[in-house]
Amino acid sequence: MKISERLEKIPPYLFAEIDRKIAEAKAKGIDIISLGIGDPDTPTLAPVVAEMHKAIDNPKNHDYPPYNGTEKFRKAACDWMKKRFDVELNPDTEMLANIGSKEAIAHIFFAFVDKGDYTLVPDPGYPVYKNATIFAGGTPYSMPLLEENGYLPDFDKIPEDIAKKSKLMFLNYPNNPTGAVADLDFYKKAVDFCKKYDILLCSDMAYSEMTFDGYKAPSVLQVEGGKDVAIEFYSHSKSYNMTGWRVGFVCGNAGAVKALGTIKNNIDSGTFKAIQDAAAAAFTVDQSLIDSLNKMYQDRRDAAESGFRELGWDIKPSKATFYLWLPVPKGMTSEEFVTQMLEKAHVVVPPGNGYGSCGEGYFRVALTKDVDTIKECIRRMKDAGIRYN
Ligand SMILES: *Cc1c(COP(=O)(O)O)cnc(C)c1O
């Protein structure tokens, strides 16, 4: 049996060697701390769990859901978009439930990309953008996210012939892995660029609610005419600690929502209706619950940033996401640095090049451990003599 060419084209799994070393260390009984995984370590917000208890007992929730999501969920999502961003959306034509964003992000490429088409994807970036392009038969073009540009892509650097052949662009702010944020001026530039070249602008808002120090992330749909070219992907995973529940939504341009709906209608049958009821309840949880989650991450961020500063890193407070994106010490590769972290400090951090070649020279820290554990990691680095300079 031979696997498909499209599967063979997927780049090798960059964490394989590190996973092997972690398994080896664990087998030797070494106590490893992982700051690797972007998965919340605290429970789903209580009102959501409470709603699920009720929803699961309702027999009306036990059959196939409507292909585009329950009316209750779609309306609640539209109300949330109105309250959060003052963006008006039609729940029947501009809103679609998903089974977690990853699914919808992967499927949008099948709705817009044919053989020979290009997509514009951020580098470093969430690996799905690139790999789903390849699955759909297209060619990903990397838009470098550079520190000197605040990790925003420079649209002027995209060659005209590539722009003309591109069908779809992905943006992701607040950003994984860099923690960078974008403002409305940037989104306006993105909308103008995508209008000029007739490109679908896809904005991944997985971290829209995970922001600090009073900062609120804007939506590309707030830009005048944004809906003409853009759709957004929202997820309950990080906002309400619901990674295992598999639910979120896609909204914006009606043509793109319809196209994605047609792909999904032929592949999946939606999220369990009880989960959609619980997810609808998430939209109306008291803001104080989200604020206190963010306060928890902010305290961890402060502990991590001050620890790294003591070790010679020069960093400004990050505004969003539970990630820190830091340069490796001069003269080292990402791979060498994370190997040293694992072998000498027994701390796992992913190498930046795992998110694209522009991530080389960096590593990511996930703030998914409590303050004491983060401080322990810093102590271990100090004891092992690991410093930036
Ligand atoms: C976590 C994450 C997602 C989506 O996660 P789901 O659980 O599939 O909703 C999407 N994009 C980025 C950048 C993420 O980090």
Side-chain angles (χ1 to χ4, degrees):
M1 268 184 282
K2 190 180 171 306
I3 61 165
S4 65
E5 283 169 22
R6 76 176 68 83
L7 197 50
E8 280 181 341
K9 278 191 208 156
I10 296 298
Y13 180 58
L14 257 152
F15 305 121
E17 179 61 13
I18 291 159
D19 286 351
R20 197 187 57 75
K21 286 188 181 139
I22 294 169
E24 212 175 81
K26 282 189 176 156
K28 280 192 216 148
I30 296 170
D31 167 36
I32 300 277
I33 303 176
S34 174
L35 300 178
I37 311 168
D39 194 351
D41 58 317
T42 53
T44 299
L45 299 188
V48 178
V49 177
E51 182 64 29
M52 185 65 182
H53 280 291
K54 277 192 274 169
I56 201 165
D57 280 336
N58 180 358
K60 289 204 174 80
N61 275 339
H62 297 171
D63 59 351
Y64 281 121
Y67 91 95
N68 58 345
T70 64
E71 195 177 342
K72 180 173 166 181
F73 177 79
R74 283 181 285 109
K75 282 191 167 151
C78 287
D79 290 347
W80 184 83
M81 287 296 292
K82 172 74 184 155
K83 184 178 68 171
R84 174 70 174 80
F85 299 109
D86 200 24
V87 167
E88 304 263 4
L89 294 162
N90 180 323
D92 296 323
T93 56
E94 297 172 327
M95 179 59 72
L96 181 66
N98 66 34
I99 314 178
S101 282
K102 188 182 202 173
E103 165 272 308
I105 290 168
H107 283 137
I108 192 69
F109 293 88
F110 290 87
F112 284 88
V113 176
D114 289 309
K115 211 168 160 41
D117 290 340
Y118 277 73
T119 65
L120 303 171
V121 299
D123 180 350
Y126 188 53
V128 180
Y129 315 139
K130 198 172 192 171
N131 292 345
T133 300
I134 295 169
F135 282 156
T139 306
Y141 179 84
S142 289
M143 300 185 290
L145 305 188
L146 306 176
E147 195 170 350
E148 63 259 36
N149 300 330
Y151 298 110
L152 299 170
D154 182 350
F155 301 127
D156 296 335
K157 292 266 163 67
I158 299 168
E160 176 110 34
D161 61 316
I162 299 287
K164 283 182 178 159
K165 286 188 280 190
S166 294
K167 298 293 289 292
L168 187 158
M169 172 194 285
F170 251 95
L171 296 175
N172 165 222
Y173 296 97
N175 183 259
N176 176 9
T178 67
V181 297
D183 62 16
L184 279 175
D185 280 347
F186 170 78
Y187 281 140
K188 175 148 191 352
K189 276 188 225 156
V191 166
D192 289 345
F193 181 89
C194 289
K195 272 193 182 162
K196 180 171 174 194
Y197 294 104
D198 198 20
I199 291 168
L200 174 67
L201 174 50
C202 297
S203 175
D204 180 350
M205 294 287 275
Y207 298 92
S208 68
E209 303 316 293
M210 198 186 279
T211 57
F212 312 130
D213 304 323
Y215 171 78
K216 283 262 184 200
S219 152
V220 69
L221 299 177
Q222 291 171 303
V223 173
E224 174 122 23
K227 231 196 258 179
D228 299 342
V229 287
I231 55 170
E232 287 189 316
F233 296 76
Y234 285 86
S235 168
H236 280 50
S237 289
K238 319 296 184 350
S239 302
Y240 313 107
N241 286 352
M242 291 174 68
T243 46
W245 296 59
R246 313 312 304 140
V247 65
F249 64 93
V250 181
C251 64
N253 183 272
V257 165
K258 185 171 180 215
L260 176 59
T262 304
I263 295 284
K264 282 175 55 54
N265 197 9
N266 284 284
I267 291 182
D268 66 63
S269 298
T271 285
F272 184 29
K273 284 201 265 183
I275 291 179
Q276 294 193 50
D277 275 3
F283 290 123
T284 55
V285 293
D286 203 276
Q287 182 61 31
S288 66
L289 293 179
I290 295 166
D291 292 346
S292 62
L293 257 188
N294 286 339
K295 174 72 171 64
M296 177 186 79
Y297 291 127
Q298 201 173 302
D299 289 345
R300 295 174 179 186
R301 174 203 69 174
D302 292 346
E305 287 180 349
S306 79
F308 279 108
R309 265 185 218 113
E310 276 176 45
L311 299 173
W313 270 271
D314 170 25
I315 32 179
K316 289 189 213 75
S318 80
K319 282 206 178 73
T321 79
F322 51 23
Y323 303 116
L324 303 183
W325 181 249
L326 302 175
V328 304
K330 297 239 156 21
M332 269 188 149
T333 65
S334 293
E335 194 78 29
E336 284 164 356
F337 178 75
V338 305
T339 301
Q340 187 184 59
M341 285 283 279
L342 176 63
E343 291 178 347
K344 296 196 178 153
H346 304 151
V347 173
V348 175
V349 286
N353 58 325
Y355 304 91
S357 56
C358 295
E360 177 51 50
Y362 292 85
F363 65 102
R364 194 186 78 174
V365 174
L367 304 170
T368 47
K369 290 277 157 44
D370 61 27
V371 166
D372 285 344
T373 309
I374 288 169
K375 284 184 175 162
E376 168 66 14
C377 291
I378 298 291
R379 204 158 29 237
R380 289 182 182 194
M381 288 175 70
K382 205 177 276 175
D383 291 347
I386 299 174
R387 294 183 53 87
Y388 181 63
N389 56 17

